[in-house]
């Protein structure tokens, strides 16, 4: 009886027909190229990818989870900065991916070892941010980070957070708190929460189809014949 109650509570808390943890596990088996195809062709969304500058700190790193948004920018004021940063970290929750709109900053690091440790303790699954430091320590922690550059210049007195958990603009993409974020070696995609589960199902179908296409190619079938048999390249 306790197990059934727990399952019901998890499902009810999820914004999807399945639990967030199952969503995450299944998305991590996909790749962003296939998700992008679904968004472009099935939903006519041509602006789902975050700027291509964001790259995983390690090639094997992938992120998937609910967007937790942060907005900040170059700023020399420091009053209350530590407190706000701590409040933001405490607001993180399980299966989130923290996404930073850094207003084009190319100087400071907004993420490091201790923030990675604190985020991981709260069940956060990764960070997408312009600048990082403490790179060796982050790698040792194994915390997934997608970044644009490395910098030993900390953010205090150079950059500050303005607010969090409000819509942000990442390149051409508006990311709203609770949207689904998925990233791999080919980049990061933001998927509106309302369609994230349906996109998962459609992408899983593509991966199954691609198994058939690979078998046709491996068999020696000509590309034109592959297309005639429902395949594509």
């Amino acid at each position: 009886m306790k197990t059934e109650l727990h399952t019901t509570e998890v499902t009810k808390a999820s914004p999807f027909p399945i639990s967030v943890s199952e969503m995450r596990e299944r998305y991590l088996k996909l790749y962003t190229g296939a998700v992008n195809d679904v968004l472009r062709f099935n939903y006519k969304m041509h602006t789902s990818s975050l700027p291509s500058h964001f790259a995983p700190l390690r090639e094997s790193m992938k992120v998937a989870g609910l967007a937790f948004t942060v907005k900040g920018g170059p700023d020399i004021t420091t009053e209350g900065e530590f407190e706000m940063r701590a409040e933001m970290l405490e607001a993180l929750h399980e299966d989130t991916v923290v996404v930073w709109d850094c207003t084009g900053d190319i100087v400071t690091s907004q993420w490091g070892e201790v923030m990675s440790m604190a985020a991981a303790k709260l069940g956060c699954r990764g960070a997408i941010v312009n600048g990082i430091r403490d790179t060796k320590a982050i790698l040792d922690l194994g915390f997934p980070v997608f970044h644009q550059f490395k910098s030993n210049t900390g953010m205090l007195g150079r950059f500050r957070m303005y607010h969090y958990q409000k819509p942000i603009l990442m390149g051409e993409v508006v990311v709203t708190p609770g949207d689904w974020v998925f990233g791999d070696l080919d980049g990061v995609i933001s998927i509106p929460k309302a369609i994230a589960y349906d996109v998962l199902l459609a992408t899983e179908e593509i991966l199954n189809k691609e198994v058939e296409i690979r078998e046709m190619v491996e068999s020696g079938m000509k590309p034109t014949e592959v297309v005639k048999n429902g395949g594509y390249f």
Side-chain angles (χ1 to χ4, degrees):
M1 177 65 76
K2 289 183 179 180
T3 302
E4 292 177 358
L5 179 62
H6 177 71
T7 302
T8 301
E9 289 175 348
V10 169
T11 303
K12 185 177 180 181
S14 173
F16 314 110
I18 58 177
S19 68
V20 176
S21 61
E22 183 181 342
M23 277 276 288
R24 182 173 176 276
E25 290 172 5
R26 288 168 65 175
Y27 258 95
L28 289 173
K29 295 176 182 178
L30 309 179
Y31 64 94
T32 57
V35 174
N36 184 284
D37 287 348
V38 168
L39 290 171
R40 285 187 299 122
F41 296 114
N42 294 28
Y43 294 90
K44 310 306 178 186
M45 289 181 59
H46 297 279
T47 55
S48 60
S49 299
L50 273 58
S52 58
H53 304 296
F54 289 106
L57 187 54
R58 180 172 281 158
E59 288 189 353
S60 60
M61 287 181 172
K62 300 178 77 171
V63 289
L66 300 164
F68 184 103
T69 60
V70 177
K71 170 69 175 180
D75 197 314
I76 63 172
T77 64
T78 59
E79 183 178 358
E81 197 279 334
F82 278 141
E83 290 78 7
M84 187 175 186
R85 205 186 315 182
E87 290 170 2
M88 180 275 291
L89 287 168
E90 288 187 11
L92 291 172
H93 54 88
E94 191 172 0
D95 291 325
T96 53
V97 175
V98 59
V99 184
W100 287 67
D101 172 3
C102 297
T103 321
D105 179 80
I106 58 171
V107 176
T108 64
S109 58
Q110 298 88 27
W111 197 265
E113 176 188 12
V114 180
M115 291 183 76
S116 295
M117 292 176 63
K121 289 282 187 182
L122 292 165
C124 177
R125 299 297 187 172
I128 300 165
V129 63
N130 280 24
I132 65 167
R133 68 177 184 178
D134 310 327
T135 304
K136 174 66 164 56
I138 296 174
L139 287 171
D140 289 344
L141 288 169
F143 187 78
V145 174
F146 281 62
H147 70 304
Q148 295 195 33
F149 59 87
K150 302 177 183 69
S151 172
N152 52 38
T153 302
M155 59 188 274
L156 185 64
R158 298 295 304 271
F159 177 102
R160 72 174 297 147
M161 292 172 47
Y162 297 146
H163 54 72
Y164 55 89
Q165 285 298 72
K166 296 182 181 181
I168 57 174
L169 185 62
M170 302 293 288
E172 299 179 321
V173 180
V174 174
V175 181
T176 300
D179 284 347
W180 194 257
V181 177
F182 176 47
D184 62 13
L185 187 55
D186 290 326
V188 184
I189 288 181
S190 178
I191 308 156
K193 178 172 62 177
I195 63 171
Y197 178 68
D198 291 334
V199 169
L200 169 65
L201 298 181
T203 309
E204 288 176 334
E205 289 183 10
I206 285 180
L207 265 63
N208 291 333
K209 180 65 177 179
E210 288 182 346
V211 171
E212 299 176 14
I213 295 172
R214 291 190 190 95
E215 289 174 351
M216 286 189 278
V217 173
E218 288 174 355
S219 72
M221 188 179 292
K222 294 180 179 180
T224 52
E225 290 298 317
V226 171
V227 173
K228 288 179 181 179
N229 282 275
Y232 49 83
F233 294 89

